[in-house]
Amino acid sequence: MRRVGEHRDGHIPGFTKRYGCKLLVWYEVHDLVSQAIYREKSIKSYRRQNKINLIEAANPDWKDLWFGLAS
């Protein structure tokens, strides 16, 4: 939650801050930070269409999932 909020508020330098990405359209929950980092690096190597397919499988309308998490 903390990290998502930091990205959303523009506190973390990188892709989301540079391009103004504010919508949370997909996420995964992991028990261990090491698992999350491994998965994140794996997804970064995907082609764009595979990333879009991953999002649309779980969130076909590309709704902002932040509000469901924050409440």
Side-chain angles (χ1 to χ4, degrees):
M1 289 296 299
R2 175 191 53 81
R3 187 165 184 213
V4 174
E6 289 172 348
H7 279 288
R8 189 174 186 86
D9 295 338
H11 297 296
I12 305 295
F15 184 89
T16 55
K17 185 173 183 176
R18 187 176 325 128
Y19 295 100
C21 300
K22 300 293 182 184
L23 297 179
L24 176 66
V25 293
W26 180 84
Y27 68 93
E28 285 183 357
V29 176
H30 296 275
D31 292 329
L32 301 173
V33 172
S34 60
Q35 292 173 333
I37 291 169
Y38 178 83
R39 179 69 169 148
E40 184 176 354
K41 288 181 180 186
S42 172
I43 291 171
K44 284 184 179 186
S45 70
Y46 287 12
R47 292 177 181 239
R48 181 178 179 87
Q49 188 59 53
N50 290 352
K51 294 174 188 176
I52 290 170
N53 293 344
L54 193 62
I55 293 166
E56 290 185 344
N59 186 4
D61 297 325
W62 291 62
K63 293 180 181 176
D64 191 352
L65 304 176
W66 166 252
F67 300 106
L69 283 176
S71 59

